[in-house]
Structures are given as C-alpha cells and as structure tokens.
Short mmCIF file of all heavy atoms in Angstrom, two decimals:
data_model
loop_
_atom_site.label_atom_id
_atom_site.label_comp_id
_atom_site.label_asym_id
_atom_site.label_seq_id
_atom_site.Cartn_x
_atom_site.Cartn_y
_atom_site.Cartn_z
N ILE A 1 -18.82 8.08 6.70
CA ILE A 1 -17.84 7.07 6.29
C ILE A 1 -17.10 6.61 7.54
O ILE A 1 -16.61 7.44 8.32
CB ILE A 1 -16.83 7.61 5.26
CG1 ILE A 1 -17.55 8.12 4.01
CG2 ILE A 1 -15.83 6.53 4.89
CD1 ILE A 1 -16.60 8.70 2.97
N VAL A 2 -17.03 5.30 7.71
CA VAL A 2 -16.34 4.71 8.86
C VAL A 2 -15.13 3.93 8.37
O VAL A 2 -15.25 3.08 7.48
CB VAL A 2 -17.27 3.75 9.64
CG1 VAL A 2 -16.53 3.15 10.83
CG2 VAL A 2 -18.54 4.45 10.08
N VAL A 3 -13.96 4.22 8.94
CA VAL A 3 -12.77 3.38 8.74
C VAL A 3 -12.63 2.54 10.01
O VAL A 3 -12.49 3.09 11.11
CB VAL A 3 -11.50 4.21 8.50
CG1 VAL A 3 -10.28 3.30 8.42
CG2 VAL A 3 -11.63 5.04 7.22
N CYS A 4 -12.69 1.22 9.87
CA CYS A 4 -12.69 0.34 11.03
C CYS A 4 -11.48 -0.58 11.03
O CYS A 4 -11.36 -1.47 10.18
CB CYS A 4 -13.98 -0.49 11.06
SG CYS A 4 -14.16 -1.55 12.51
N GLY A 5 -10.58 -0.36 11.98
CA GLY A 5 -9.46 -1.26 12.19
C GLY A 5 -9.80 -2.29 13.26
O GLY A 5 -10.89 -2.28 13.82
N HIS A 6 -8.84 -3.16 13.57
CA HIS A 6 -9.14 -4.20 14.56
C HIS A 6 -7.87 -4.75 15.19
O HIS A 6 -6.75 -4.55 14.69
CB HIS A 6 -9.93 -5.33 13.91
CG HIS A 6 -9.15 -6.12 12.89
ND1 HIS A 6 -8.48 -7.28 13.20
CD2 HIS A 6 -8.91 -5.89 11.58
CE1 HIS A 6 -7.88 -7.76 12.12
NE2 HIS A 6 -8.13 -6.92 11.12
N SER A 7 -8.06 -5.45 16.28
CA SER A 7 -6.94 -6.07 17.00
C SER A 7 -6.41 -7.27 16.23
O SER A 7 -7.10 -7.85 15.38
CB SER A 7 -7.40 -6.50 18.40
OG SER A 7 -8.45 -7.48 18.29
N ASP A 8 -5.17 -7.67 16.55
CA ASP A 8 -4.54 -8.86 15.96
C ASP A 8 -4.58 -8.83 14.43
O ASP A 8 -4.81 -9.85 13.77
CB ASP A 8 -5.22 -10.12 16.49
CG ASP A 8 -4.41 -11.39 16.22
OD1 ASP A 8 -3.18 -11.35 16.42
OD2 ASP A 8 -5.00 -12.41 15.82
N CYS A 9 -4.35 -7.66 13.85
CA CYS A 9 -4.43 -7.50 12.39
C CYS A 9 -3.19 -8.05 11.70
O CYS A 9 -2.06 -7.61 11.98
CB CYS A 9 -4.61 -6.02 12.05
SG CYS A 9 -4.79 -5.70 10.28
N GLY A 10 -3.38 -9.01 10.80
CA GLY A 10 -2.25 -9.61 10.09
C GLY A 10 -1.50 -8.61 9.23
O GLY A 10 -0.27 -8.69 9.10
N ALA A 11 -2.22 -7.65 8.64
CA ALA A 11 -1.56 -6.63 7.82
C ALA A 11 -0.63 -5.78 8.66
O ALA A 11 0.50 -5.45 8.24
CB ALA A 11 -2.61 -5.76 7.14
N MET A 12 -1.06 -5.41 9.86
CA MET A 12 -0.22 -4.61 10.74
C MET A 12 0.97 -5.42 11.26
O MET A 12 2.06 -4.87 11.47
CB MET A 12 -1.05 -4.05 11.91
CG MET A 12 -2.23 -3.18 11.49
SD MET A 12 -1.77 -1.74 10.47
CE MET A 12 -2.31 -2.28 8.83
N LYS A 13 0.77 -6.71 11.45
CA LYS A 13 1.90 -7.58 11.82
C LYS A 13 2.94 -7.58 10.71
O LYS A 13 4.15 -7.59 10.96
CB LYS A 13 1.41 -9.00 12.09
CG LYS A 13 0.60 -9.16 13.36
CD LYS A 13 0.15 -10.60 13.53
CE LYS A 13 -0.69 -10.78 14.79
NZ LYS A 13 -1.17 -12.18 14.95
N GLY A 14 2.47 -7.57 9.46
CA GLY A 14 3.38 -7.52 8.33
C GLY A 14 4.17 -6.23 8.29
O GLY A 14 5.35 -6.22 7.94
N LEU A 15 3.53 -5.12 8.67
CA LEU A 15 4.25 -3.85 8.75
C LEU A 15 5.36 -3.92 9.78
O LEU A 15 6.47 -3.40 9.57
CB LEU A 15 3.28 -2.72 9.12
CG LEU A 15 2.51 -2.03 8.01
CD1 LEU A 15 1.58 -1.00 8.61
CD2 LEU A 15 3.44 -1.38 7.00
N CYS A 16 5.06 -4.55 10.91
CA CYS A 16 6.04 -4.64 11.99
C CYS A 16 7.15 -5.63 11.68
O CYS A 16 8.24 -5.53 12.25
CB CYS A 16 5.34 -5.05 13.29
SG CYS A 16 4.16 -3.83 13.93
N HIS A 17 6.88 -6.57 10.79
CA HIS A 17 7.87 -7.60 10.43
C HIS A 17 7.92 -7.75 8.91
O HIS A 17 7.33 -8.69 8.36
CB HIS A 17 7.52 -8.93 11.10
CG HIS A 17 7.53 -8.88 12.59
ND1 HIS A 17 8.70 -8.93 13.34
CD2 HIS A 17 6.51 -8.76 13.48
CE1 HIS A 17 8.40 -8.86 14.62
NE2 HIS A 17 7.09 -8.75 14.73
N PRO A 18 8.59 -6.83 8.22
CA PRO A 18 8.62 -6.85 6.75
C PRO A 18 9.12 -8.15 6.16
O PRO A 18 8.76 -8.49 5.02
CB PRO A 18 9.58 -5.69 6.41
CG PRO A 18 9.57 -4.81 7.62
CD PRO A 18 9.36 -5.71 8.78
N GLU A 19 9.94 -8.89 6.90
CA GLU A 19 10.46 -10.15 6.38
C GLU A 19 9.33 -11.15 6.09
O GLU A 19 9.47 -12.03 5.23
CB GLU A 19 11.48 -10.76 7.36
CG GLU A 19 10.90 -11.27 8.68
CD GLU A 19 10.71 -10.19 9.73
OE1 GLU A 19 10.95 -9.00 9.41
OE2 GLU A 19 10.33 -10.53 10.86
N LEU A 20 8.21 -11.00 6.78
CA LEU A 20 7.08 -11.90 6.55
C LEU A 20 6.44 -11.65 5.19
O LEU A 20 5.72 -12.51 4.67
CB LEU A 20 6.02 -11.70 7.65
CG LEU A 20 6.45 -12.01 9.08
CD1 LEU A 20 5.31 -11.67 10.05
CD2 LEU A 20 6.85 -13.48 9.23
N LEU A 21 6.70 -10.47 4.62
CA LEU A 21 6.06 -10.09 3.37
C LEU A 21 6.89 -10.42 2.14
O LEU A 21 6.44 -10.17 1.01
CB LEU A 21 5.75 -8.59 3.40
CG LEU A 21 4.85 -8.10 4.53
CD1 LEU A 21 4.70 -6.60 4.46
CD2 LEU A 21 3.48 -8.78 4.47
N GLN A 22 8.09 -10.96 2.33
CA GLN A 22 8.96 -11.23 1.18
C GLN A 22 8.30 -12.12 0.12
O GLN A 22 8.47 -11.87 -1.08
CB GLN A 22 10.28 -11.84 1.67
CG GLN A 22 11.17 -10.84 2.37
CD GLN A 22 12.50 -11.43 2.80
OE1 GLN A 22 12.76 -12.61 2.60
NE2 GLN A 22 13.34 -10.60 3.41
N PRO A 23 7.55 -13.16 0.50
CA PRO A 23 6.89 -13.96 -0.54
C PRO A 23 5.60 -13.34 -1.06
O PRO A 23 4.94 -13.93 -1.92
CB PRO A 23 6.60 -15.29 0.16
CG PRO A 23 6.71 -15.05 1.61
CD PRO A 23 7.36 -13.72 1.84
N MET A 24 5.23 -12.16 -0.55
CA MET A 24 3.96 -11.53 -0.94
C MET A 24 4.21 -10.10 -1.41
O MET A 24 3.88 -9.13 -0.71
CB MET A 24 3.00 -11.54 0.25
CG MET A 24 2.59 -12.93 0.71
SD MET A 24 1.48 -12.93 2.16
CE MET A 24 2.69 -12.69 3.48
N PRO A 25 4.79 -9.92 -2.59
CA PRO A 25 5.15 -8.57 -3.04
C PRO A 25 3.95 -7.64 -3.22
O PRO A 25 4.05 -6.43 -3.00
CB PRO A 25 5.85 -8.82 -4.39
CG PRO A 25 5.38 -10.17 -4.82
CD PRO A 25 5.18 -10.95 -3.55
N ASN A 26 2.81 -8.19 -3.62
CA ASN A 26 1.63 -7.34 -3.78
C ASN A 26 1.12 -6.82 -2.45
O ASN A 26 0.69 -5.67 -2.34
CB ASN A 26 0.51 -8.11 -4.51
CG ASN A 26 0.79 -8.25 -5.99
OD1 ASN A 26 1.09 -7.27 -6.67
ND2 ASN A 26 0.68 -9.46 -6.50
N VAL A 27 1.15 -7.68 -1.44
CA VAL A 27 0.74 -7.25 -0.10
C VAL A 27 1.68 -6.18 0.42
O VAL A 27 1.26 -5.16 0.98
CB VAL A 27 0.69 -8.44 0.87
CG1 VAL A 27 0.37 -7.96 2.29
CG2 VAL A 27 -0.34 -9.46 0.42
#
C-alpha cells in the first residue's frame, strides 16, 4: 500500500490557512 502526497497541495494549504475553508465545511 502506497500513500502518496505531493507538493503545492491545496488541502495542506487549507490546513495552514483555515479561513480559506470557511465556505467549504465538508472539506
């Protein structure tokens, strides 16, 4: 089983800036 992450990940940017996720409660 391989877990593969990547550079410039939008999900990780959202973790670093929670305010970006306010309109996306499921994310």
Side-chain angles (χ1 to χ4, degrees):
I1 301 179
V2 180
V3 175
C4 184
H6 67 95
S7 62
D8 195 43
C9 182
M12 301 303 105
K13 289 180 181 178
L15 274 178
C16 294
H17 298 281
E19 68 277 4
L20 298 176
L21 301 177
Q22 288 183 359
M24 296 178 280
N26 285 310
V27 175

